[in-house]
Each structure stands twice: as C-alpha cells, then as structure tokens.
Amino acid sequence: MEEFYRLVWLFFCYSFLGWLLETAVAAVRERRYVDRSLLFGPICVVYGAAGVVISIALCDLADNLAFLFLGSAIYATVAEWLAGHWLYKLTGTRWWDYSGRRWNLDGYVCLSSSTLWGVMGTVAVKWLIPALGWVGELVPSAVAHILLWVMLGILALDVLATSLTLAGTLHRMPGVEELSSRLGAVSVRLGTWLLEKMEKRIRKAHPKVEFRKEREKPAVFAAGCGFYKIFWLFLIGAFLGDVVETIFCRVTAGVWMSRSSVVWGPFSIVWGLAMAMASLLLHRYRDRSDSFLFWAGTLLGGAYEYLCSVFTELVFGVVFWDYSHIPFNLAGRVNLLYCFFWGIAAVAWVRWCYPKLSGLIERIPRAWGRPLTWALVVFFVCDMAVSTLALGRLETRAQGLPPRNVVEEYLDEHYGDERLNRIYPAAVRTD
C-alpha cells in the first residue's frame, strides 16, 4: 500500500506539473490564458500516466542514461499518441497538432516532442522523484493517505463529468429544465449546471470541439477496431501465445512446460495484451512499409516486455523470464534478439493475421456475440484475480506466514506450491 500511495502522489504531481507546463507554453504562444486541461481540475492526466509508467519501469535504469532516455521517450510517446487519437474520436477535433513538424506521425507525435519527453523522463527519474518523495514525507502519513483518497475521489467525479460532457449527454437530455423545476431535484440541477460549466470551459479552450450526440450502430459485430474487436484479438493472442511458447520450449529445451499466465486455461496474458496493443497501435499503418512496421514492433515490443517484467516483479515478487545469459540484454528483462522477434511478429500480425482474424470475428452473429464477449470478460477478470491472489499467497507462504483468513486457507488448499510450480515452472522469486 505504501508503494500505491507513492505512485498516486507521483501521478498527481506529474499531472499538475504537466498542466503548468502546457498552460505556460500556451500562454506564451497565444498571449492569453488557455486552460490546457481536459478535466475541470488543474491536471493533465497524460503527464501523470506517462510519469507513473516511467517511474515504475525505468527506475532501475537511473545510471544508464541512454536507455533511460530511450525508454522515457517511447513510453511517453505512446501515451501521447493514444491520448490524441482518443480525444479526436470523442470530440472530432485535435487538441494538439504536430503536422507542421518533420518526422511526425498522424500529427499527434513527432521526433522533437518525443525527444523532449525523453529529456523530461530522464530528469524525472534522476532528480524529480527523489525531490517529490522528500516533499511527500513532510506530511504525516495518515494525513497524506486521507488527502490522496480525497483527491482520487474528486478525480473520479471530474472524469465522470468530463466523459458525460464529451459524450453529449447534456444535448440528449430532453426536458431536463422542466424536470428540474417541476421536481426541484437538487441533484438534477447540480448535474446540469456542472455539465454546462464543463462544456463552456472545453469550448473556450477548443472552439472546434464537437460533442457526440448519438452513436451510429455498426452493421456487423465488432466492426472497426473497437472494444469487442480488441478483446477477441486479446483472447486469440493469449491462447496462440501460450501454444507458441509451449512448442518453443519443447523444441529448444526438450521439455513440455506450461507457459500460461493464469491458473485457469492455457492463456498468456503478456501475448494477449501484446496482440491487442499491436492491433490498436499498428493496424492503421498497414499501408506503411514492412521496415516501418518492423522497427515500430521492435521498439514497442521491447518496451512492452520490459514493462511487463518490472510489473510482475514489483507486484508478485517473481521473475517469469531472465535473459541475462543472452548477449545484448538489458537487466535480463529484454534482449536485442527477442526485440527483433517482436518486430517480425508485428509485420506478420499486421500483414496477415489481423485481416484474417478481423474478418472471422466480424462474422460472429451480433445476437450472441456481445453477451458471449461480456461472459468471457467476466471469466478473465475472475481468472486474473484468482491468479493474482494465488501468486500473492505463494509469496507469503515462502515467508513462512500462516493463512490469515478463509480466502488464504482456500488458496492453500486449491493452489498450493506444487500446483503453482506446475503452472509457473519458470517463475523465480526475488528478494
């Protein structure tokens, strides 16, 4: 929990500092105050999210400035690209545009901004994180925890109000004024007032913004590259990834070895998320050259695998793979050869796998496609929750701690060391 509070503190600090930077730059350029935050509060979530990812993933590279810079640039650029496309999909307008700069991609990211991201990430890891940690320690821990939870609650309300505003909820509320005056509902009037304020503020900052009034119903199930398509690609990628890794271990090591990430079913979450992200990030560039897809897959795949390695070690206290014995590795988490494999996989996925799988997914009848999808979503959420609890209990058992409640007793009975060692034979505990 202390690590959680530290990351929440860093998120709000990075978000506020990002808002200060964006607002100051806009004020200098336009010679007037422009609120650069999408939310009502003075924060830029993109800065906060990118800063937290960089803080988690790259702290152990603090002494390697070259890879610290490169990793910061990659993670922050992906965050900026996703935010730009998401805002355009919601509002129909660009909240920033780099089209006039050289080496840009869709106008949402460019080489100069990525370089700046790399510099800021390096500065944050080397000097800003220790400084912010020192400031945070000035507040008593009990008071700090309460303040952080209050800020999280306010942020959740802010995100909800902004999402409703961008979705055009205010325009789809017929007779809301009559309803509020007739019933005297304070909550209705307050909600309407808040939506009006949010819309006015967003229009002032971005006059061209378009608020969505209604959604067009797709003609087929999982049309485009939306949630349903991405989830099914995740499901297929998780299964195929487990199969491929199992066969690879058999061919190279001569043993059949479980490569599943979860306790129920042959699914590799790392591969599933990789295929889903590859589809989300790269399918729109299917007309670009193979070399573009290869290098994009190499950089993104390497950064993704490194982040997964850090995350699993931080959360579960185990390392699921170690490339220290392979030349040109980085902290044993990634290596150059496997990064090239990610590049080859990106080309194969975008060129051949995605079009075929996309067509098959869209042929699923809409009548049972959506309920089946949500049933599988619930299954995977439960599967990952049980797997997380089982791995957590594996760690506490290794420390000699007895079960403290009914849940841990259940985990000891059904997911003991022997069974988890069969599911995760390559997992190695860390200190």
Side-chain angles (χ1 to χ4, degrees):
M1 288 303 297
E2 288 301 323
E3 182 68 16
F4 167 77
Y5 287 124
R6 187 180 76 92
L7 294 177
V8 173
W9 165 246
L10 290 177
F11 169 80
F12 281 111
C13 289
Y14 289 140
S15 298
F16 177 69
L17 293 174
W19 175 82
L20 283 180
L21 177 63
E22 290 283 338
T23 303
V25 171
V28 171
R29 288 178 177 175
E30 303 186 24
R31 302 188 179 220
R32 66 183 180 91
Y33 171 78
V34 178
D35 187 356
R36 295 296 297 171
S37 174
L38 174 64
L39 302 177
F40 195 79
I43 59 174
C44 284
V45 176
V46 177
Y47 282 82
V52 168
V53 171
I54 290 171
S55 300
I56 294 175
L58 304 179
C59 274
D60 55 353
L61 296 179
D63 296 328
N64 193 329
L65 293 181
F67 284 103
L68 177 58
F69 169 84
L70 180 62
S72 300
I74 292 175
Y75 290 131
T77 299
V78 171
E80 187 177 28
W81 186 93
L82 288 172
H85 280 280
W86 179 74
L87 286 172
Y88 183 81
K89 185 176 181 179
L90 281 179
T91 66
T93 187
R94 292 176 177 266
W95 287 58
W96 61 87
D97 191 355
Y98 301 140
S99 298
R101 300 187 187 182
R102 296 186 61 187
W103 306 101
N104 75 84
L105 191 61
D106 298 338
Y108 294 118
V109 295
C110 66
L111 183 60
S112 59
S113 67
S114 297
T115 303
L116 180 60
W117 281 115
V119 172
M120 290 194 297
T122 303
V123 171
V125 172
K126 292 287 289 183
W127 297 286
L128 191 56
I129 290 178
L132 293 176
W134 176 79
V135 172
E137 291 175 355
L138 296 178
V139 183
S141 59
V143 176
H145 295 171
I146 294 174
L147 289 175
L148 288 175
W149 279 112
V150 170
M151 293 169 67
L152 283 173
I154 294 175
L155 176 63
L157 294 175
D158 198 349
V159 170
L160 176 61
T162 303
S163 301
L164 292 175
T165 303
L166 294 176
T169 301
L170 186 63
H171 303 283
R172 296 203 303 268
M173 296 171 65
V176 67
E177 295 181 358
E178 293 79 5
L179 176 64
S180 61
S181 61
R182 185 167 61 250
L183 299 180
V186 176
S187 59
V188 174
R189 292 201 302 270
L190 180 61
T192 305
W193 174 84
L194 181 60
L195 291 177
E196 290 175 347
K197 288 292 184 182
M198 292 290 295
E199 182 172 329
K200 182 178 179 181
R201 187 186 64 81
I202 294 175
R203 286 192 184 279
K204 185 177 181 180
H206 299 275
K208 296 181 180 180
V209 66
E210 297 177 3
F211 296 97
R212 189 175 55 205
K213 295 185 178 182
E214 60 182 23
R215 296 183 179 182
E216 295 182 1
K217 293 183 178 180
V220 297
F221 172 71
C225 197
F227 167 78
Y228 292 102
K229 178 71 65 60
I230 291 297
F231 174 79
W232 278 92
L233 291 173
F234 158 80
L235 175 65
I236 296 171
F239 175 73
L240 293 179
D242 183 271
V243 172
V244 169
E245 285 211 14
T246 301
I247 296 175
F248 180 79
C249 289
R250 174 61 180 174
V251 172
T252 58
V255 295
W256 291 108
M257 180 186 300
S258 169
R259 301 301 296 168
S260 177
S261 303
V262 288
V263 295
W264 301 339
F267 301 106
S268 172
I269 302 300
V270 173
W271 275 95
L273 290 176
M275 297 302 99
M277 291 299 294
S279 304
L280 184 64
L281 295 174
L282 299 178
H283 86 283
R284 65 180 64 243
Y285 305 117
R286 54 190 176 276
D287 296 330
R288 302 290 287 264
S289 65
D290 288 348
S291 60
F292 172 87
L293 296 174
F294 171 79
W295 287 112
T298 298
L299 292 174
L300 295 176
Y304 167 75
E305 188 174 19
Y306 193 97
L307 180 61
C308 289
S309 175
V310 173
F311 176 81
T312 54
E313 183 175 354
L314 179 66
V315 175
F316 304 119
V318 295
V319 173
F320 289 98
W321 59 85
D322 186 2
Y323 303 140
S324 300
H325 61 286
I326 300 179
F328 304 107
N329 73 84
L330 186 60
R333 304 185 189 280
V334 295
N335 67 81
L336 186 61
L337 177 62
Y338 285 7
C339 286
F340 288 157
F341 285 167
W342 282 112
I344 295 172
V347 176
W349 182 263
V350 174
R351 286 282 184 263
W352 302 294
C353 299
Y354 177 83
K356 296 182 181 299
L357 293 176
S358 177
L360 291 175
I361 294 170
E362 291 180 358
R363 293 175 63 181
I364 298 176
R366 291 181 59 189
W368 55 270
R370 293 194 174 188
L372 176 61
T373 300
W374 285 109
L376 289 171
V377 168
V378 173
F379 167 78
F380 268 97
V381 169
C382 295
D383 196 358
M384 288 187 283
V386 173
S387 302
T388 301
L389 292 173
L391 286 169
R393 179 57 189 148
L394 176 66
E395 172 68 14
T396 56
R397 277 200 304 268
Q399 298 174 8
L401 300 177
R404 296 167 295 181
N405 49 53
V406 177
V407 174
E408 292 190 349
E409 291 176 358
Y410 174 85
L411 293 173
D412 286 350
E413 181 180 355
H414 295 85
Y415 301 100
D417 293 352
E418 183 179 353
R419 181 174 180 182
L420 291 183
N421 287 333
R422 289 198 306 269
I423 299 174
Y424 307 112
V428 178
R429 288 186 62 249
T430 60
D431 295 331

